[in-house]
Amino acid sequence: MASDEEDFVFHGTPIEREEEIASRKKKAVAGASGNLRTLPAWKQEVTDEEGRRRFHGAFTGGYSAGYYNTVGSKDGWAPQSFTSSRKNRAGARKQSISDFLDEDEKADMEGQSLSASSQFDTFGFTAAEYSRKQVEKEQHERPSAIPGPVPDELIAPASESIGVKLLLKMGWRRGHSIKDVRASSGARREARKAFLAFSTDENTKETSDSVVSETEVETSLDPQFSEDIKMSESTPVYVLNPKQDLHGLGYDPFKHAPEFREKKRSRLSANKEAGFRKPLSMKESLFGPKSGKIAPGFGIGALEELDVEDEDVYGGYDFDQTYVIEDEQPAKPSNDNRLRLTSKEHDVLPGFGAAKNSDYSMERFSPPKIPKDFVARHKFSGPLEAETKPTLSAPPDVPPPADNNLKLLIEGFATFVSRCGKLYEDLSREKNQSNQLFDFLRGGNGHEYYARRLWEEQQKRGDQSKLTLDVKPSSSVQKMTAEERGSLLGEKPLQRSLKETDTSASSGGSFQFPTNLSDTFTKSASTQEAADAVKPFKDDPAKQERFEQFLKEKYKGGLRSTDFNRVNSMSESARAQERLDFEAAAEAIEKGKAYKEVRRATERPLDFLAGGLQFTSGGTEQIKDTGVVDMKSSTTYPKREEFQWRPSPLLCKRFDLPDPFMGKLPPAPRARNKMDSLIFLPDTVKAASALSESQEHKKETSIEEPEVEVEVENVERPVDLYKAIFSDDSEDDEDQVMNRKIQEGQEKKNEAAASTLNRLIAGDFLESLGKELGFEVPSDVPYQEGTKPMEKESKSRSKPEGSSDKRPDRSGFKQKVEEKTSSLTLGSEEEKSRKQREKSPRKRSGGNDLSSSESSGDERSKKRSSKMDRYRNNDSESDSSSDYHSRDKQSSRSRRKRRESSREKRNSHKKHSKHHRSKKSSSSKLVYSSDEDRKESKREKRRRRD
Amino acid sequence: MSATAELPTKEAHVLKGHEGAVLAARFNGDGNYALTCGKDRTIRLWNPHRGILIKTYKSHGREVRDVHVTSDNAKFCSCGGDRQVYYWDVSTGRVIRKFRGHDGEVNAVKFNDSSSVVVSAGFDRSLRVWDCRSHSVEPVQIIDTFLDTVMSVVLTKTEIIGGSVDGTVRTFDMRIGREMSDNLGQPVNCISISNDGNCVLAGCLDSTLRLLDRTTGELLQVYRGHISKSFKTDCCLTNSDAHVIGGSEDGLVFFWDLVDAKVVSKFRAHDLVVTSVSYHPKEDCMLTSSVDGTIRVWKK
């Protein structure tokens, strides 16, 4: 064996097992950087300080088992050796706890067990004994080859305190009580003599050794002596806490839950001495230190932090009683059993005994003394009194006031007051202090009549059963809010109708207070009222009046044209314009009402609209109509909208369904991709073409140009920069034939924009400048004439395709938009403005401001695209092909924000475009130039393709 | 009165074992077994007819909010506060796969008919479809058109239906590639589909159950009387579609007549919030679970 080992020569350090190192390293790194936290709970491992994985029990934290959760040690498991020979008999070996524990656990145990350190051990018993034994053993093992005292043996552990030494010198022996020293002083003296003699004999031996032999000798020498001593041996210490439970050796159920130990002890003591038990609020000690209320039933893992999510939303249920299951008490005291037998309490949980005596003692309070003059009924000071006891003396019968309206009002009011109590009267008096109409409440005109009416009504009501009276009014009084009261009083309609009676006598008699009252009960919110509340034309009272008239007719279904001769002063067109305005306003009001409830929904009306019209595939006008209808019907829930949705091919496969979009490439992302340019283009294109005719006449001073240049760059660069980078090359590779046809138009614009920007960025806008100013730029000049026909041709080419392609995908639709814009460009300026005006009501009805060219047509797609646009700005990595997926991936949470911001953006863009228009003269040039560039690049592209 | 006699209003068993609130109780496909899950992060398999616990599944790191069994009873899926969808083997109790990807708690899971995909509804406003056939752990599809937390999901053979706090019940039809959004105007807590597949019952947080016609989106009936304002409480239809069942936050269970929306029966099932009700696919038997930690089996 030994020779075998000698044969090997070892160089360097042995390589550890790879996985071991790797895992440990990983752990170390993770531990160091706190990375462990970021791992999911099920990947995290709890280790002890030596890197061993630990098992986890529910409460104790568990023990680490063996070596890396295996039995034994690093070298494997070695069974306990047992050797016994004739010479050397092996005795029965006693097992102890420590045989079964790991080092760390032993350390734990030692930490728990109390033992005096050698320093403070007055009698130095344990330590000294130990060291003595150690030395002795060593001597036995090592046959001292060297005769004589060995230096290190001489330096013995002098762990004995001086007190012990003195005592020993005085004849005290270990294990004996000091007290009895004097009792046997005679024998003591003898013993000391013997001892001294002995010690002088064996001088060479070290002191500690001698002490041992001394005691041995002494005890063995003198049987009589020892007998004597036996009497006075120090009393043995008995184990205070004998093991009485059924737990394993060394298992402490309360190790990590000291709160329960306390509890148990208190319970035991309560059992034993039936004394007072310390009240122990378990809940507090368990959950006290933690801030929130934690869901009961389980704790959180060792590596998890207390989170908001851990809070118990289902609060109120006390789990403590089921939480602690104490089964560590094997034998119950007999008196406990008896207790259970005698008192059968039903509300005691099985396995639990009711506490025999609790600190909760019922404190009895003597009932409060009732004052002698106490009446057991409460007197209500106010209305009920007045009501139940109608005014004793009937007020004189007074003729009703001359004013019919007032009479009606008084009658209605009196009825109501009699019904609701006097409190109501007080309230309304207070409320209508300034109101002339309610003067009768304050003793003004018609007060006598009111008093009479009220009395009559009360008389009438008094006949009815009092029970109902008692209950009803009080509740109604209680619940009444200010609004309710207002509506009950009919304040709004009252004022309105008053106004009407003033202005037009024809609508007189509408003032019917009692009936109106009942109406307000049933009709909570008539549209008319709502319309009144919202006054869209506040600054123009005449117009507001007309608007109200309009509303009335609209909802009452009268003939509209009849009344319009009133406003004859207006021109035909102005009236038409107003009509549109009114309609829009009415719609807006109606819609506003509908959307008030669901705040979120307000963000999406346009979305809905677009979704509805996306598939109608009819003309734009029709689409708008359906949209409006949709709006109108949307006031009631539930409402349904439909959108396009693309299931992924794999999903369809898993559901065993044919993919509805099989073979069709995703249209949405592509369109959206291309749309970016369009959002900005229509305005510029329009502006450009509109101004292109007049462009020839005007000449600009070059001073103005740079300023405009900057502006344009500001507007367009962020979008087109990416376009310039991404769109140009990648598209041709990917495009399939069909796709190309569809998107050709857009592509061109796209490219045009890109190339425009390229130019601008490259700084050769000077060239275009020069061109505009009429300088000769050789390469561009020949194209100028040819561009227009070319473009037209391209349009006509794309047109039939667009119309024949009925697919509801966005690209197809988009093309239509494009057509529209192109037709717009051909139109004159005023035509455009008229169109805008026409659309303006729609605009308002949409609740959103739209840019003028496409009012509602592709709102949804536009929104999307603008969103996309923004997205792209943020994320330069999303190239055109991965657009769709990236949209999916983007967190939906930020979407709303984005949507808002995109709207903002649109607004800002609009502002810009307005700016363009206002600066028509200067900006036109530049826009034109860029337009031209676009055309040029388009042509280049085509040429390349051909 | 004969109607009430048919209803399972007698308590047959009380299933105890969960520590803390039970968040969902579901019958398996044939109704012989039940799976429950709760705040104690366990899923438990029961025989509700004999009232015995069969198995406990532990692996979730946080509360388990929903569970669903495949039609062949071999696998089930669960989801919960740890933002993952677990795909389990019933017999071995092992987690076959964990689908991670939701950005928030996952509220509901469902298998499709062929048990090839799991659809989960999450706090992150999305429905995610996970593939069980392949080994991919990426979602097959993410549906994120919802504006708020998706609370509940139901699958038919061809559609995915999700109910969301934004007040919509959205139907995603795979055959035609359309999304139909029915806006109810109130946060939708739970949706369940009638057994004939024509109607959707949506439990809204204004203490109302609404029955929608699926083809037209029409509101067919409204059921009121219970309390459902702040907790996720389930609703369902009986297997004959004759009655609508809804749990209430005060521990009652309500039975409405499907057609005339009358409260046919209501009784106290639990002391605390009834989180889930589940009806046996064939017999007159019902499971209710509650925050008080018990599951009760109700029979005629």
Side-chain angles (χ1 to χ4, degrees):
Chain A
M1 276 261 291
S3 63
D4 271 3
E5 272 178 12
E6 275 163 18
D7 283 344
F8 290 110
V9 180
F10 290 99
H11 288 290
T13 50
I15 298 171
E16 284 188 74
R17 278 174 64 210
E18 199 181 0
E19 54 184 272
E20 210 170 293
I21 302 170
S23 69
R24 260 198 226 157
K25 247 184 211 162
K26 210 169 66 188
K27 255 174 229 162
V29 169
S33 61
N35 258 351
L36 222 54
R37 275 287 149 74
T38 60
L39 286 171
W42 48 274
K43 272 191 181 168
Q44 296 174 5
E45 284 178 359
V46 185
T47 55
D48 60 9
E49 62 269 15
E50 282 162 58
R52 284 180 293 198
R53 193 176 178 176
R54 299 181 64 106
F55 285 140
H56 275 268
F59 295 102
T60 60
Y63 297 109
S64 59
Y67 181 78
Y68 286 95
N69 298 332
T70 62
V71 190
S73 67
K74 191 176 182 179
D75 311 311
W77 179 69
Q80 199 176 43
S81 61
F82 179 82
T83 46
S84 179
S85 60
R86 202 181 298 168
K87 273 186 190 170
N88 193 8
R89 289 262 179 214
R93 198 175 170 278
K94 267 188 188 167
Q95 288 185 324
S96 69
I97 300 170
S98 60
D99 292 337
F100 300 98
L101 297 180
D102 286 343
E103 303 91 78
D104 54 340
E105 285 156 355
K106 275 179 206 161
D108 268 12
M109 295 270 298
E110 267 162 47
Q112 275 194 339
S113 65
L114 270 181
S115 62
S117 71
S118 64
Q119 200 187 341
F120 296 102
D121 190 1
T122 324
F123 306 114
F125 192 78
T126 39
E129 198 85 36
Y130 181 71
S131 59
R132 248 186 301 124
K133 289 257 171 69
Q134 190 72 26
V135 171
E136 213 173 8
K137 207 170 76 187
E138 262 176 19
Q139 259 196 341
H140 277 294
E141 273 174 6
R142 180 173 35 184
S144 52
I146 312 156
V150 185
D152 67 325
E153 279 175 355
L154 277 176
I155 312 162
S159 55
E160 275 182 325
S161 66
I162 192 70
V164 175
K165 278 178 186 161
L166 280 173
L167 278 171
L168 284 170
K169 289 272 183 196
M170 287 164 69
W172 172 78
R173 271 165 293 165
R174 291 167 201 281
H176 297 247
S177 60
I178 306 162
K179 210 171 80 184
D180 299 318
V181 169
R182 212 170 289 162
S184 55
S185 58
R188 184 121 311 273
R189 212 163 292 141
E190 268 184 31
R192 196 190 288 167
K193 266 183 214 156
F195 165 57
L196 283 173
F198 198 82
S199 62
T200 42
D201 274 353
E202 300 196 345
N203 222 355
T204 49
K205 278 202 172 181
E206 84 273 357
T207 47
S208 65
D209 206 2
S210 67
V211 170
V212 179
S213 47
E214 171 253 320
T215 46
E216 272 169 10
V217 165
E218 215 160 347
T219 45
S220 60
L221 266 179
D222 241 330
Q224 170 238 2
F225 209 125
S226 61
E227 210 181 281
D228 191 13
I229 288 164
K230 221 170 202 174
M231 300 269 294
S232 58
E233 252 175 1
S234 56
T235 49
V237 179
Y238 292 105
V239 188
L240 267 178
N241 297 313
K243 185 170 154 56
Q244 284 179 326
D245 51 20
L246 298 178
H247 298 302
L249 265 185
Y251 174 71
D252 181 9
F254 303 117
K255 191 177 174 189
H256 294 287
E259 304 90 338
F260 294 103
R261 192 201 304 278
E262 187 78 8
K263 173 119 199 253
K264 190 188 174 187
R265 197 181 304 144
S266 66
R267 206 188 52 191
L268 279 175
S269 69
N271 277 343
K272 225 181 273 175
E273 51 200 80
F276 112 119
R277 198 173 98 190
K278 191 182 162 195
L280 188 116
S281 64
M282 258 229 312
K283 185 147 191 172
E284 210 173 83
S285 55
L286 261 183
F287 303 115
K290 287 151 190 173
S291 58
K293 215 163 59 162
I294 313 161
F298 57 90
I300 51 172
L303 293 165
E304 283 177 274
E305 277 183 346
L306 193 67
D307 221 342
V308 191
E309 295 144 22
D310 290 312
E311 279 180 23
D312 186 17
V313 285
Y314 307 100
Y317 185 68
D318 194 16
F319 282 93
D320 285 352
Q321 37 199 329
T322 57
Y323 186 53
V324 190
I325 302 164
E326 285 193 78
D327 56 353
E328 70 265 16
Q329 202 176 1
K332 279 202 178 82
S334 58
N335 65 339
D336 196 40
N337 284 337
R338 196 193 58 223
L339 213 156
R340 181 178 288 184
L341 285 175
T342 50
S343 65
K344 280 184 182 169
E345 276 150 317
H346 297 284
D347 49 350
V348 174
L349 288 170
F352 283 78
K356 210 168 77 182
N357 53 341
S358 67
D359 58 315
Y360 175 68
S361 59
M362 191 80 106
E363 210 175 324
R364 288 209 160 266
F365 295 98
S366 54
K369 277 181 187 135
I370 301 164
K372 287 211 172 75
D373 56 340
F374 179 74
V375 187
R377 290 180 70 189
H378 181 66
K379 267 190 196 170
F380 289 94
S381 53
L384 285 183
E385 205 74 358
E387 192 170 64
T388 45
K389 291 182 210 156
T391 5
L392 294 174
S393 59
D397 202 350
V398 188
D403 189 351
N404 199 34
N405 290 338
L406 188 58
K407 180 188 164 223
L408 279 169
L409 177 64
I410 286 171
E411 278 170 8
F413 198 82
T415 325
F416 207 75
V417 165
S418 72
R419 214 186 296 164
C420 294
K422 200 162 181 312
L423 187 62
Y424 177 70
E425 190 195 295
D426 295 342
L427 277 170
S428 49
R429 186 185 295 144
E430 203 176 294
K431 203 162 184 314
N432 296 300
Q433 245 163 14
S434 56
N435 197 336
Q436 288 290 320
L437 264 175
F438 287 87
D439 258 352
F440 62 86
L441 288 176
R442 296 183 294 275
N445 184 21
H447 179 66
E448 290 86 13
Y449 181 66
Y450 168 69
R452 171 73 193 173
R453 288 293 306 183
L454 184 60
W455 181 77
E456 277 174 17
E457 290 291 337
Q458 278 171 350
Q459 290 289 18
K460 233 190 279 174
R461 292 195 68 79
D463 297 340
Q464 294 168 13
S465 68
K466 276 190 180 166
L467 244 176
T468 50
L469 261 177
D470 278 350
V471 178
K472 252 193 210 162
S474 62
S475 64
S476 66
V477 166
Q478 262 180 3
K479 279 181 190 165
M480 211 177 314
T481 62
E483 291 93 336
E484 254 181 300
R485 207 181 304 125
S487 68
L488 285 181
L489 272 172
E491 278 171 356
K492 277 264 165 58
L494 233 165
Q495 280 166 355
R496 239 191 77 76
S497 43
L498 258 190
K499 209 199 295 173
E500 272 177 13
T501 47
D502 288 343
T503 49
S504 59
S506 61
S507 59
S510 71
F511 189 84
Q512 292 171 333
F513 193 42
T515 51
N516 267 359
L517 266 179
S518 61
D519 276 358
T520 47
F521 279 122
T522 51
K523 266 194 271 172
S524 58
S526 71
T527 47
Q528 211 170 325
E529 274 174 19
D532 277 353
V534 186
K535 291 192 175 170
F537 305 105
K538 259 180 192 153
D539 28 41
D540 188 354
K543 197 173 180 184
Q544 172 67 26
E545 203 178 297
R546 285 200 299 273
F547 176 59
E548 276 166 31
Q549 183 68 28
F550 165 80
L551 274 182
K552 211 167 74 184
E553 277 160 359
K554 188 179 175 191
Y555 290 113
K556 284 179 182 168
L559 283 172
R560 243 168 249 183
S561 51
T562 51
D563 243 332
F564 264 94
N565 46 17
R566 262 209 297 184
V567 282
N568 256 344
S569 56
M570 295 169 80
S571 72
E572 195 71 23
S573 63
R575 202 187 302 157
Q577 173 66 37
E578 205 181 46
R579 270 284 302 283
L580 281 172
D581 279 358
F582 284 167
E583 230 155 41
E587 255 174 39
I589 287 165
E590 201 178 330
K591 223 160 55 60
K593 245 187 342 176
Y595 283 135
K596 217 176 280 172
E597 294 165 36
V598 193
R599 211 182 310 149
R600 282 213 178 84
T602 50
E603 285 180 19
R604 317 189 66 225
L606 290 165
D607 244 352
F608 299 157
L609 224 178
L613 61 89
Q614 202 166 22
F615 305 99
T616 44
S617 76
T620 41
E621 273 311 305
Q622 191 196 331
I623 285 165
K624 268 177 212 155
D625 281 348
T626 57
V628 171
V629 165
D630 205 74
M631 291 289 198
K632 272 180 185 164
S633 64
S634 74
T635 52
T636 54
Y637 288 115
K639 81 192 155 199
R640 167 166 284 205
E641 293 106 29
E642 289 197 12
F643 309 114
Q644 189 178 5
W645 173 66
R646 275 185 78 88
S648 77
L650 185 57
L651 182 65
C652 296
K653 198 177 151 200
R654 290 283 180 258
F655 273 81
D656 287 331
L657 295 168
D659 187 354
F661 294 88
M662 183 94 87
K664 294 170 196 164
L665 72 164
R670 291 230 138 265
R672 224 174 285 137
N673 177 23
K674 297 295 153 62
M675 202 74 95
D676 300 351
S677 55
L678 252 197
I679 304 162
F680 294 99
L681 279 177
D683 283 351
T684 49
V685 169
K686 192 169 46 187
S689 56
L691 293 160
S692 58
E693 292 109 332
S694 58
Q695 194 264 337
E696 261 75 44
H697 320 307
K698 292 177 189 169
K699 283 274 175 181
E700 299 295 323
T701 53
S702 56
I703 307 157
E704 280 172 302
E705 300 278 337
E707 177 202 338
V708 178
E709 199 70 55
V710 170
E711 195 179 82
V712 170
E713 272 182 11
N714 275 346
V715 176
E716 306 230 338
R717 182 177 279 180
V719 191
D720 289 341
L721 183 59
Y722 289 106
K723 205 136 294 163
I725 296 165
F726 291 117
S727 64
D728 220 44
D729 296 327
S730 60
E731 269 155 19
D732 273 19
D733 310 336
E734 301 164 6
D735 278 1
Q736 294 165 10
V737 182
M738 184 181 69
N739 186 28
R740 189 187 294 161
K741 274 181 192 167
I742 292 165
Q743 289 164 349
E744 207 169 30
Q746 301 157 13
E747 226 167 74
K748 268 165 210 152
K749 291 201 170 168
N750 213 356
E751 284 151 13
S755 59
T756 308
L757 195 85
N758 276 339
R759 268 167 194 282
L760 290 176
I761 291 165
D764 60 354
F765 63 90
L766 282 177
E767 191 187 352
S768 56
L769 259 184
K771 197 174 56 194
E772 254 176 32
L773 289 171
F775 299 135
E776 283 288 305
V777 183
S779 62
D780 284 341
V781 168
Y783 302 144
Q784 271 188 345
E785 305 309 306
T787 42
K788 268 177 190 165
M790 285 287 257
E791 198 184 17
K792 261 177 198 163
E793 180 200 306
S794 75
K795 265 171 199 156
S796 62
R797 201 153 61 117
S798 63
K799 216 170 202 168
E801 280 162 12
S803 54
S804 67
D805 187 26
K806 290 282 184 202
R807 268 199 303 140
D809 53 9
R810 255 166 228 138
S811 63
F813 183 74
K814 240 215 78 266
Q815 202 163 32
K816 232 169 265 168
V817 173
E818 191 193 326
E819 281 171 42
K820 212 168 80 186
T821 53
S822 65
S823 70
L824 262 181
T825 55
L826 296 175
S828 64
E829 189 70 43
E830 62 179 71
E831 197 178 285
K832 209 194 308 170
S833 70
R834 203 183 59 204
K835 265 187 187 165
Q836 278 174 14
R837 213 186 309 135
E838 268 178 22
K839 271 159 201 162
S840 61
R842 301 262 180 273
K843 229 197 286 179
R844 218 168 304 169
S845 74
N848 250 324
D849 41 356
L850 315 176
S851 55
S852 56
S853 61
E854 312 106 316
S855 66
S856 58
D858 59 341
E859 205 43 53
R860 193 188 192 192
S861 54
K862 192 174 163 185
K863 204 188 240 175
R864 281 260 171 94
S865 59
S866 66
K867 194 205 307 173
M868 274 314 300
D869 163 34
R870 204 183 153 69
Y871 184 55
R872 285 162 132 262
N873 288 344
N874 292 337
D875 185 3
S876 61
E877 280 167 26
S878 68
D879 64 346
S880 54
S881 61
S882 69
D883 246 349
Y884 186 65
H885 293 290
S886 61
R887 184 184 78 90
D888 276 352
K889 268 177 203 157
Q890 72 194 355
S891 81
S892 59
R893 213 163 282 194
S894 59
R895 182 189 297 173
R896 195 172 308 151
K897 221 182 287 167
R898 201 174 294 135
R899 196 172 285 163
E900 277 163 18
S901 59
S902 74
R903 195 177 298 158
E904 271 168 33
K905 181 147 189 166
R906 209 185 308 141
N907 286 347
S908 69
H909 169 69
K910 207 172 130 196
K911 231 178 277 162
H912 276 296
S913 61
K914 252 182 210 157
H915 195 64
H916 274 297
R917 230 165 276 145
S918 63
K919 280 207 171 186
K920 218 179 279 172
S921 55
S922 58
S923 66
S924 62
K925 287 275 171 182
L926 180 97
V927 172
Y928 174 70
S929 78
S930 65
D931 194 29
E932 222 168 15
D933 279 351
R934 199 178 302 126
K935 283 174 196 161
E936 174 209 49
S937 68
K938 204 181 291 173
R939 200 167 14 180
E940 270 174 17
K941 187 93 184 173
R942 196 172 301 146
R943 214 186 278 156
R944 214 187 301 155
R945 201 171 286 157
D946 293 339
Chain B
M1 276 295 96
S2 63
T4 49
E6 289 168 16
L7 296 173
T9 54
K10 289 191 187 65
E11 183 180 309
H13 292 287
V14 182
L15 311 180
K16 281 180 184 162
H18 275 289
E19 295 164 12
V22 186
L23 298 180
R26 309 267 181 256
F27 273 112
N28 74 332
D30 56 10
N32 289 333
Y33 298 97
L35 273 172
T36 62
C37 57
K39 289 214 84 179
D40 61 354
R41 308 190 253 195
T42 62
I43 299 151
R44 281 159 204 261
L45 173 65
W46 309 82
N47 185 332
H49 307 292
R50 293 168 60 201
I52 47 173
L53 174 66
I54 299 168
K55 207 174 173 75
T56 305
Y57 302 90
K58 292 177 184 167
S59 187
H60 271 283
R62 288 190 181 277
E63 83 274 11
V64 193
R65 297 197 174 179
D66 196 12
V67 63
H68 190 233
V69 202
T70 58
S71 45
D72 61 355
N73 294 333
K75 311 278 191 330
F76 71 91
C77 59
S78 65
C79 67
D82 49 7
R83 304 173 179 199
Q84 298 175 48
V85 176
Y86 285 58
Y87 180 50
W88 301 77
D89 188 87
V90 170
S91 52
T92 63
R94 287 219 192 96
V95 179
I96 301 170
R97 220 160 293 157
K98 289 171 183 166
F99 300 113
R100 306 174 69 191
H102 272 292
D103 292 334
E105 293 86 342
V106 190
N107 289 321
V109 280
K110 284 280 182 303
F111 277 110
N112 67 337
D113 267 4
S114 54
S115 309
S116 55
V117 298
V118 178
V119 182
S120 60
F123 181 73
D124 60 352
R125 309 182 211 170
S126 69
L127 283 175
R128 280 163 202 253
V129 185
W130 310 91
D131 193 359
C132 297
R133 290 260 169 87
S134 73
H135 286 285
S136 150
V137 288
E138 290 298 310
V140 173
Q141 180 139 29
I142 302 170
I143 302 168
D144 55 358
T145 58
F146 291 95
L147 300 174
D148 211 328
T149 307
V150 193
M151 292 301 286
S152 181
V153 64
V154 166
L155 301 189
T156 66
K157 280 199 167 63
T158 59
E159 289 141 312
I160 300 171
I161 310 167
S164 163
V165 177
D166 66 3
T168 57
V169 174
R170 289 169 199 252
T171 309
F172 301 89
D173 194 330
M174 269 161 272
R175 287 169 302 183
I176 52 172
R178 297 283 283 277
E179 169 192 346
M180 273 163 289
S181 160
D182 294 315
N183 195 340
L184 301 176
Q186 289 292 336
V188 177
N189 204 347
C190 167
I191 54 171
S192 90
I193 197 162
S194 65
N195 293 291
D196 62 358
N198 290 331
C199 303
V200 167
L201 181 70
C204 298
L205 277 182
D206 57 345
S207 297
T208 312
L209 303 184
R210 293 181 167 84
L211 189 71
L212 299 179
D213 188 302
R214 284 190 50 218
T215 47
T216 61
E218 225 178 303
L219 182 66
L220 297 178
Q221 192 53 270
V222 170
Y223 308 94
R224 288 201 176 91
H226 65 304
I227 306 169
S228 169
K229 281 173 178 155
S230 47
F231 292 95
K232 185 179 190 319
T233 55
D234 273 3
C235 56
C236 64
L237 290 123
T238 57
N239 54 28
S240 57
D241 279 348
H243 296 102
V244 170
I245 311 169
S248 176
E249 281 173 22
D250 51 7
L252 300 177
V253 168
F254 282 71
F255 284 90
W256 290 272
D257 190 282
L258 181 91
V259 181
D260 56 11
K262 259 193 319 201
V263 177
V264 179
S265 167
K266 64 173 174 178
F267 59 91
R268 177 160 292 281
H270 295 271
D271 295 333
L272 296 166
V273 184
V274 177
T275 52
S276 179
V277 287
S278 175
Y279 206 83
H280 194 284
K282 291 173 204 87
E283 296 160 25
D284 285 323
C285 178
M286 180 178 72
L287 279 181
T288 61
S289 70
S290 166
V291 171
D292 64 13
T294 59
I295 302 111
R296 283 167 208 260
V297 187
W298 306 87
K299 291 191 175 173
K300 266 202 282 193

